[in-house]
Amino acid sequence: MGTVQRRLARPDLAEYSYLQALEVAPRNYTAMSNLALVLEARGSKGPFARAVGYYRQRNPYHQYRLAETYFAEDNLPAALRHLRKAIRLKVDEAAFHAATAVVLAKMGRASGAARSREVALRLDEATGVRPPGAPGFIGSARFREAWGEYVGTEG
């Protein structure tokens, strides 16, 4: 509920929802991390910043979001570092491998990009959710666009 409220730009209701979740499950790090996002948007870190920081470092999707940020800034080595960490934490996520292929291709590392691309396509096909190679499995618009360019040039 908190995530929905946050996406609807209702931070007060989002905060309330996350606090309710923490009332029921005080060690729910997902709720804690999301509450921290709401509080950080207001300029406050809250009483559990250290726990949230530790959780985020071990959350592969947080690492992926950091990679997206660095990719948008054209800091490819930093993006690659965070993608590799995301993959270490969750090896079977197609989006991580697809984004790695894009970053490696932009860095001129064609063989590594091709390997990551094949892993991404194999993982995506294994889920049976969408046709292999569909760019929709990449989270950010920038990565999706770059994937389309990469796949278009690679065949």
Side-chain angles (χ1 to χ4, degrees), residues 64 67-68 71 83 99 102-103 138 140-147:
Y64 179 75
E68 287 179 324
F71 183 76
L83 287 168
V102 165
V103 171
I138 300 176
S140 78
R142 286 190 85 112
F143 274 140
R144 274 195 308 275
E145 180 180 316
W147 173 261

Side-chain angles (χ1 to χ4, degrees), residues 5-55:
Q5 296 300 340
R6 187 167 46 98
R7 289 183 182 165
L8 292 173
R10 298 176 178 159
D12 291 341
L13 293 175
E15 180 180 349
Y16 176 78
S17 296
Y18 294 134
L19 288 170
Q20 291 300 307
L22 290 170
E23 189 79 23
V24 173
R27 296 182 57 90
N28 181 333
Y29 289 105
T30 301
M32 204 180 292
S33 180
N34 287 331
L35 176 58
L37 288 174
V38 172
L39 296 175
E40 286 168 4
R42 291 185 183 158
S44 169
K45 289 194 178 201
F48 38 73
R50 186 172 173 207
V52 168
Y54 177 77
Y55 168 76

Side-chain angles (χ1 to χ4, degrees), residues 39-95:
L39 296 175
E40 286 168 4
R42 291 185 183 158
S44 169
K45 289 194 178 201
F48 38 73
R50 186 172 173 207
V52 168
Y54 177 77
Y55 168 76
R56 286 179 178 168
Q57 289 303 308
R58 301 186 49 79
N59 182 326
Y61 297 99
H62 179 71
Q63 295 302 317
Y64 179 75
R65 283 188 299 274
L66 290 173
E68 287 179 324
T69 300
Y70 285 116
F71 183 76
E73 296 170 356
D74 209 29
N75 185 342
L76 300 178
L80 183 60
R81 189 173 51 254
H82 286 285
L83 287 168
R84 287 185 170 156
K85 187 167 185 179
I87 289 169
R88 279 195 307 274
L89 293 167
K90 185 166 176 42
V91 72
D92 62 345
E93 180 63 65

